[in-house]
Amino acid sequence: MKVINERGNFFIILASYEERFYVRNLGASWDRSIKAWKIENTLSVFKVLKSKGIEIADSINEKYEKMLEDYEQVFSSDEGICFKTTPYQHQIKLRELVLNKQKCFFFCGVGTGKSKSVIDALTVLTQRNEVKKTLVVCPSGIMKNFQNEIETHSHLTSLIVDGSVEKRRRLLEQDVSIHIINYEILDKLKDDIRKKQFDMLVFDECHRLKNRMAKCSKAALYIANTKYRVGMSGTIISNSYQDIFMPYKIISPDIFGTKFGPFKSSYLEYGGYNNYQLIGYKNEGQLKKLMALNSLSYDIDDVIELPDQYELIKKFDLIKKNKKTYDTLVKDFILDYKEEAEMAGHVLSRMMMLSQISSGFIKQGDDIEVIGDEKIQLLSEIIQEIDGKMIIWCRFKHSIKQVSKLCEKLGLSYAVHYGDVKDCYNAFNSDDTRVWIGQIQTGIGYSLPSAKHAIFYETDYSHINHVQAKGRNRRLVGSDTGKCVYIYLQANDTLDEMVYSALKEKDFTARDAMDYIKGVS
């Protein structure tokens, strides 16, 4: 029996026929496609395999022994705290940055797990009684995701502050460990927030604070009187170095000071008409060194513990009106199709309508009624955090049009693919085009290796289409170009969740839909 290599999230094990029961008892499963056993490639599994005396390929053994050594060295300083989920090495370093620097930045890309790092830091600070009240400020589209992260990685209590201004004021008074609020409401609640006297502020997607004149940025500066402050962003510099001044003034003013004039004269070159045009930079080396004093930066390719391909699920809530429409349609499902023989023909059309509601529209004949923007808002937050090329898969043509409009609004160049590959393929792979927008039914027979991120805005019900779409940028695996991340957008308590699970193994059928709907009715 021997661990011979890694593939994705798994160790690959060769074992004799006589050893099949032993390897199965370890938790491994047989993979017919590669004619070998596979088991999760986590540090804990590695330790079990070592303790059982199972032979491990030298390259894998060396890699995981080093990870284990580093982990145990840092973990020994955690004051006996047991974290709900095991951190990766880079997450430990990010957590320690918060504990040691108090005011700091995580400049980390999508999928690197920066939220867990700050949650773990909060766990330690709560245990020390240094932090009792924390405010997380993030875009409205990802408030629910941040709360999900808190529930996944800690036992801390949290509350989303939403609704009318008066309702939000009442929610701020509730006694929980973490309040989660969106940037857009900061200005209206800044006095209430300051009165609350939070111990820690976390600004997720802190590039939202780059405009010195914006009400949101001024409100953030007004409430920034806490001992601990953390800014997180994958794209802190979206246009120029002047973008970093206001986030640093709010979160860590000791680095660049509080006056823009000295910062401007030290690092920015202006010229053109009346010297109003930014034409270049100076003292870049010094600026970068100062930024590095209290920040860490990780991209997915920097994190060796992460598998070559992995998936993230981003959740959102339907607004009340749309959730009511959705639930009414589910009830109609139950009433209309009690007999299995009557089902298959009509259920698929109902399933399609449920998927459309999740995406914010309803199609009746040739007419399309837009009923919400929850999903497109979440997509907007995600793609603004991604630095580099990306693929966005849609099922419906209306969604492709919506995503195209979003890219135009954000100033992102894009190529749209409905089936004719040649022109948009060349544009995406050969020039600076940032976004490939494709219909998932057409994701076959071409390669998009320059994209590290693929976002499934929607899926259809075909396992083959799903596998083929994931395969468009999969040849990154094992190559020098690094890892790839698959991001799925799902409405909470909808069919989206079951479709995602089912597509890993097979097509999603009308029978599956009825089983799911009866289960939640």
Side-chain angles (χ1 to χ4, degrees), residues 27-68:
S29 59
W30 177 255
D31 189 326
R32 291 183 180 179
S33 64
I34 59 175
K35 293 182 171 59
W37 296 87
K38 62 182 184 181
I39 191 170
E40 283 188 316
N41 55 352
T42 62
L43 275 177
S44 57
V45 169
F46 174 75
K47 290 171 70 175
V48 169
L49 296 176
K50 291 282 287 186
S51 69
K52 299 292 184 182
I54 295 172
E55 185 180 359
I56 300 174
D58 290 343
S59 59
I60 297 174
N61 186 66
E62 182 178 341
K63 171 183 171 182
Y64 279 83
E65 284 285 8
K66 179 63 168 62
M67 287 166 53
L68 193 59

Side-chain angles (χ1 to χ4, degrees), residues 420-477:
D420 183 15
V421 176
K422 185 176 180 181
D423 291 340
C424 52
Y425 175 85
N426 291 335
F428 188 75
N429 278 336
S430 304
D431 62 20
D432 294 330
T433 301
R434 287 280 309 281
V435 184
W436 172 283
I437 307 170
Q439 197 165 19
I440 195 167
Q441 300 93 315
T442 63
I444 299 175
Y446 52 89
S447 181
L448 304 171
S450 54
K452 291 181 182 178
H453 296 84
I455 302 170
F456 286 84
Y457 189 76
E458 297 152 341
T459 61
D460 62 6
Y461 308 132
S462 167
H463 172 65
I464 293 298
N465 287 348
H466 181 234
V467 170
Q468 288 285 346
K470 288 182 70 174
R472 294 317 94 218
N473 61 329
R474 182 168 281 176
R475 80 180 184 92
L476 283 164
V477 175

Side-chain angles (χ1 to χ4, degrees), residues 14 19 25 75 138 201 203 209 211 265 307-308 340 348 365-366 403 447 453 459 470 516:
L14 287 184
E19 294 170 319
N25 287 335
F75 195 77
C138 62
L201 290 175
F203 294 97
L209 303 172
N211 186 343
S265 61
D308 287 334
E340 184 171 348
L348 290 175
D366 294 330
V403 174
S447 181
H453 296 84
T459 61
K470 288 182 70 174
Y516 171 79

Side-chain angles (χ1 to χ4, degrees), residues 60 177 243 331 463 486 515:
I60 297 174
S177 300
D243 291 345
K331 290 177 182 177
H463 172 65
Y486 304 109
D515 289 343

Side-chain angles (χ1 to χ4, degrees), residues 130-135 172-173 177 179 189-201 223 225-227:
E130 290 189 46
V131 168
K132 295 182 179 179
K133 296 177 291 185
T134 297
L135 181 69
L172 277 172
E173 292 302 314
S177 300
H179 286 83
L189 293 179
K190 60 180 183 290
D191 290 320
D192 303 271
I193 292 169
R194 193 171 174 113
K195 181 181 176 182
K196 179 78 173 178
Q197 295 183 326
F198 285 98
D199 304 306
M200 182 169 179
L201 290 175
I223 66 171
N225 60 349
T226 59
K227 178 180 179 180

